[in-house]
Each structure stands twice: as structure tokens, then as C-alpha cells.
């Protein structure tokens, strides 16, 4: 029966076309289950020209919270949502978990081009806690994903197409305050996921860019590369918002060559499920 439903869903998708533009409505309620991890890896070459063992630092965040949408933008992206925390913790390297917010805590999240604001009652959360939680708490929905990844034709499983390169360029320029030297990528229709309550199209963007960083902590890299992979699970019934996202980015920066040089790698991984 599941395979039959998937086949029917695929036929409907071929007829309707695929769009990742999924507006979210006020009063929408869902359980957010999200994780993020940042790995910072530095490799140095000593004065003798010997490459040293890399040093790693890892910060991981886990969040489970019930969310209610309080406000949206014109294109249906979350502008304000309230959260009731079930679990929120951070792990630094191999240390024991630290609680960021206790179970039952109520927060309000506001999103804009200037960043994320998190409030508890009449007080703002600290910058450090906000930075950690905002790696998972984001403004979902709207047209941004669709603008970047929507196909320009009817597609089915196995098809590949080019992303919206001007939109991708704009996203990278906004993120790094620098126009990359080159940007390229591809979007693929990976599969139909029939394991959830709503059969979903699994769509993946892979993109790469060169020389995206002009300056990092006062230092100018001699070379930098950036890669990203974004996977979304979009219910085939287009009345429903995206149900899952997975993102991995890798920024690689070279500072100098030979003895005294440094290679810095920053990897960010995040995933979120929205259970309705």
C-alpha cells in the first residue's frame, strides 16, 4: 500500500509541478526537534615546515520545543513565534551537557534581516545563549527556499537542475559581506520519502564558492572556499509546509604558505524536524 501511495503521489507531483515555496500561517503549531554542531579545526605548519596535528573544537546544541506561529511576513515566512521548551542543552567538546533553558520555559523569537531576537518575558536572552539557540530556532517557511531551489520545469525523481544563481550569489554576499569569485551548484530531486505521515519530495542543493572571505578576525586569507548542502523534505501535498531540513556548510581558509602557515576549517551541521 505504501509503495502504491508513493507511486500515486509521484504522478500527482509530475502533474502539479514541484515548488518549495511553502507559506506558514499564523496559529500554526508544531513540535520543533533540532540539532546543530559547529566544528572548528585548525592545522598549523611549524617553523621547520612540519604540519602539526589538527586541533578541534566542537559546540553542539539540542532543542525540543512546541512552537506557535504568532506573525508572518507577506510571503508566509515566520516573523514571530512563541516556544515552550521541552529540552535545550549545549555540549562543548567532550564536556557534560549544560542546560540552556529549563523545561517549561516560554520564549518569544522574532526574526528579521538584522538577526534573531529571543525574549523570556520582558527580558532579552544573553547574546551567547541567543547565538547558541538561534543555530536551531529560525524563521521557517516563506519563499526563500523556493526562490533558491525551485525547478524551472516539471521534474521527477532523479532529475537535476541549476539553482537560482543570482539568489545564491546574493545569499553568500549577505552572509560574508563579499562577492565570491565564482559560484556554482546543482539541485537534485533525490527521492520520495514515504516513511512519514505525509509523502514528501526530498530535494537537495549542493553549491560551492571560491574566495568568499576578505578578512577573518583581522587576518586576510590567501585563499578561501565554501561549500554547502541543503536538503529539504517537502510534502507532495503542497498545502503543507516543509517538514524537515538538513544543512551542512564547510568554510576552508588558508593563511599563508609553508612554515608558519595556518589552515582553518569551520564546519556547521544542522537538522530540524517540524512535527505537526
Amino acid at each position: 500500500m505504501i509503495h502504491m501511495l508513493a507511486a500515486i503521489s509521484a504522478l500527482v507531483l509530475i502533474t502539479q509541478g514541484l515548488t518549495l515555496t511553502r507559506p506558514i500561517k499564523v496559529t500554526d503549531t508544531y513540535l520543533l526537534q533540532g540539532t546543530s554542531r559547529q566544528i572548528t579545526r585548525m592545522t598549523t605548519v611549524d617553523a621547520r615546515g612540519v604540519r602539526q596535528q589538527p586541533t578541534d573544537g566542537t559546540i553542539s546544541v539540542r532543542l525540543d520545543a512546541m512552537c506557535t506561529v504568532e506573525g508572518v511576513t507577506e510571503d508566509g515566512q515566520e516573523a514571530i513565534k512563541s516556544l515552550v521548551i521541552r529540552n535545550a542543552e549545549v555540549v562543548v567538546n567532550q564536556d557534560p551537557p549544560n542546560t540552556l533553558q529549563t523545561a517549561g520555559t516560554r520564549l518569544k523569537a522574532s526574526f528579521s534581516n538584522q538577526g534573531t531576537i529571543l525574549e523570556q518575558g520582558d527580558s532579552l536572552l544573553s547574546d551567547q545563549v541567543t547565538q547558541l539557540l538561534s543555530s536551531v530556532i529560525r524563521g521557517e517557511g516563506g519563499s526563500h527556499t523556493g526562490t533558491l531551489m525551485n525547478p524551472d520545469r516539471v521534474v521527477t525523481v532523479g532529475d537535476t537542475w541549476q539553482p537560482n544563481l543570482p539568489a545564491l550569489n546574493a545569499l553568500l554576499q549577505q552572509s560574508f559581506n563579499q562577492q565570491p569569485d565564482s559560484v556554482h551548484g546543482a539541485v537534485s530531486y533525490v527521492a520520495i520519502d514515504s516513511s512519514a505521515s505525509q509523502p514528501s519530495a526530498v530535494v537537495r542543493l549542493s553549491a560551492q564558492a571560491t574566495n568568499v572571505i576578505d578578512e577573518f578576525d583581522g587576518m586576510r586569507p590567501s585563499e578561501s572556499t565554501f561549500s554547502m548542502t541543503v536538503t529539504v523534505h517537502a510534502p507532495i501535498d503542497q498545502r503543507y509546509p516543509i517538514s524537515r531540513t538538513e544543512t551542512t556548510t564547510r568554510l576552508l581558509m588558508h593563511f599563508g604558505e609553508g612554515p608558519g602557515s595556518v589552515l582553518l576549517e569551520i564546519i556547521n551541521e544542522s537538522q530540524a524536524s517540524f512535527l505537526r
Side-chain angles (χ1 to χ4, degrees), residues 3-267:
H3 296 296
M4 183 181 296
L5 288 174
I8 294 172
S9 297
L11 180 60
V12 171
L13 183 60
I14 291 172
T15 303
Q16 293 183 344
L18 172 66
T19 177
L20 304 178
T21 301
R22 302 294 175 94
I24 291 179
K25 298 179 181 178
V26 173
T27 73
D28 185 15
T29 302
Y30 58 89
L31 173 61
L32 167 62
Q33 295 180 325
T35 62
S36 71
R37 181 171 68 155
Q38 183 178 83
I39 304 168
T40 303
R41 180 174 296 133
M42 184 168 65
T43 305
T44 60
V45 177
D46 66 18
R48 298 170 299 170
V50 178
R51 183 181 294 269
Q52 302 300 297
Q53 282 292 108
T55 58
D56 284 9
T58 303
I59 300 175
S60 301
V61 175
R62 171 65 186 261
L63 176 75
D64 300 280
M66 283 301 303
C67 302
T68 302
V69 181
E70 308 286 353
V72 297
T73 62
E74 290 184 359
D75 69 341
Q77 182 178 352
E78 292 176 341
I80 303 171
K81 67 182 171 187
S82 59
L83 303 95
V84 179
I85 301 297
R86 294 188 177 183
N87 176 59
E89 63 184 23
V90 60
V91 176
V92 179
N93 298 323
Q94 301 301 317
D95 294 344
N98 283 325
T99 298
L100 290 171
Q101 296 290 307
T102 57
T105 299
R106 294 180 177 272
L107 301 178
K108 183 176 80 170
S110 304
F111 310 100
S112 70
N113 291 336
Q114 284 68 49
T116 299
I117 296 175
L118 297 177
E119 301 172 83
Q120 182 180 357
D122 296 327
S123 301
L124 295 175
L125 298 189
S126 69
D127 290 344
Q128 182 182 22
V129 172
T130 296
Q131 183 177 6
L132 291 170
L133 288 177
S134 62
S135 66
V136 180
I137 301 173
R138 303 173 181 174
E140 308 296 342
S143 61
H144 291 297
T145 301
T147 297
L148 192 62
M149 297 172 59
N150 277 344
D152 58 1
R153 64 185 189 279
V154 173
V155 294
T156 189
V157 173
D159 285 348
T160 299
W161 59 95
Q162 190 177 67
N164 183 331
L165 289 179
L168 181 57
N169 262 296
L171 174 64
L172 295 174
Q173 190 168 6
Q174 180 182 9
S175 300
F176 296 110
N177 293 318
Q178 161 108 348
Q179 176 64 45
D181 282 353
S182 66
V183 178
H184 61 277
V187 186
S188 300
Y189 188 174
V190 178
I192 293 178
D193 179 8
S194 299
S195 62
S197 58
Q198 289 285 337
S200 297
V202 182
V203 183
R204 179 172 298 137
L205 164 69
S206 298
Q208 301 80 37
T210 58
N211 292 332
V212 296
I213 294 290
D214 181 58
E215 186 178 86
F216 184 84
D217 281 352
M219 300 181 294
R220 187 181 296 273
S222 54
E223 180 185 353
S224 64
T225 58
F226 177 77
S227 61
M228 64 185 295
T229 302
V230 179
T231 304
V232 298
H233 294 236
I236 290 172
D237 186 337
Q238 297 178 10
R239 296 173 299 174
Y240 292 90
I242 287 171
S243 58
R244 181 177 175 83
T245 62
E246 303 160 17
T247 302
T248 299
T249 65
R250 179 176 181 261
L251 176 61
L252 194 63
M253 293 173 284
H254 298 261
F255 297 92
E257 297 181 4
S261 63
V262 175
L263 176 64
L264 184 60
E265 182 179 16
I266 301 174
I267 299 171

